[in-house]
Amino acid sequence: MEHNYVKIKNIQLKIFKNCPKEHEQIIKLYWQFNDFKLINKPGELNKKFSISQSQLSHIITSYSSLSFYFFCENCNTYEKHIVKSQTGFKDLILYKSRSYSYQKCDYCKLEEETASEIEKQKRIEELTLNSYDAIASKNWQNLSNFEKGVLSTCLKMNFNQVKTHYGKILGQSQFIKLIHALKNIENQGLLILEKDSRNDYIINYEYLEKLLDFKDEIDFLEKSSISNNVKNTIKLKLTINDKQNHPNSPMFSGIVNFKEKIVIEPDVDYIFGHWQRANNNMYLTLTPIADVEKLPEQKRISNLPISLRKGITNFLNNLGENLDF
């Protein structure tokens, strides 16, 4: 940290006029420096003067202060700081030396925060205008079934309740599905997402109050899409190709006609099973792992813990016994 010391100037110890004479030596030793490093630890002074830590803290904070100037790399000026303890000094220097944001003076940080707040308000105003257009266009009709459900839930719960609700449904491994849904709902102009200071995480959401006028319609669409004959499991017989006259001919081929709508969602783990049947035909199933139980994110069943491996193996074996051919 030596290269950071050039940013510190004019360290001054101030002993107050009302300080008893017997405390002056303690204070001077407490604030004694060697090349910007504090020499004496509080514990050593406690033993040397036979005082407790609370007594030492009372003496230092009641009768002294340390001031110094720290260089702001943003405006090229020095800003004055006053601390009342070694911990306060070390923390301030450590943060300012390691973090770019702390290398700025308070004035520059305030200017930056003000500019950031203005930019944030502009974005909210723009998103608000987009939301009016989105509601007029009924953009919830552009959402997937899952996203309609998320939007409907957002109109009934606050963000923490939404996270808890979908955390139980999706589990940790699939929670990212909720984040993707919220972002797509915002892209449709129906939610305004609030991010943290680093713009990494969603911390809240807002929506126009006018959207509540359509909550029954959104809720109906979400429920009707669930009650519709929509499946998320594929069951498919792979029939052997009895006309393999060419080296590049497929081993299995045929025509399949699904009688129900099947939705395969992105970023979802599926269990697949492949069984051999009579005449070398094969049977394939694809089932969302969430339909069985919440499991760690794994690729092969053989790599799962024994207890989970047994549960999935039993599920697939039972499924294989009851397949309808």
Side-chain angles (χ1 to χ4, degrees), residues 299-314:
K299 297 301 180 183
R300 292 179 178 274
I301 294 176
S302 60
N303 292 335
L304 291 170
I306 293 176
S307 58
L308 297 179
R309 190 191 316 165
K310 183 178 179 181
I312 289 185
T313 301
N314 290 339

Side-chain angles (χ1 to χ4, degrees), residues 75-117:
C75 63
N76 295 323
T77 60
Y78 282 90
E79 180 182 45
K80 186 177 181 179
H81 295 273
I82 298 177
V83 293
K84 302 282 286 183
S85 68
Q86 287 188 4
T87 301
F89 177 80
K90 291 176 181 177
D91 286 348
L92 186 65
I93 297 305
L94 183 65
Y95 287 139
K96 282 186 171 293
S97 298
R98 290 185 177 178
S99 171
Y100 174 73
S101 63
Y102 277 93
Q103 291 172 11
K104 299 177 183 179
C105 65
D106 291 340
Y107 176 80
C108 288
K109 284 190 286 185
L110 180 60
E111 288 285 297
E112 188 177 72
E113 290 169 3
T114 301
S116 177
E117 187 62 28

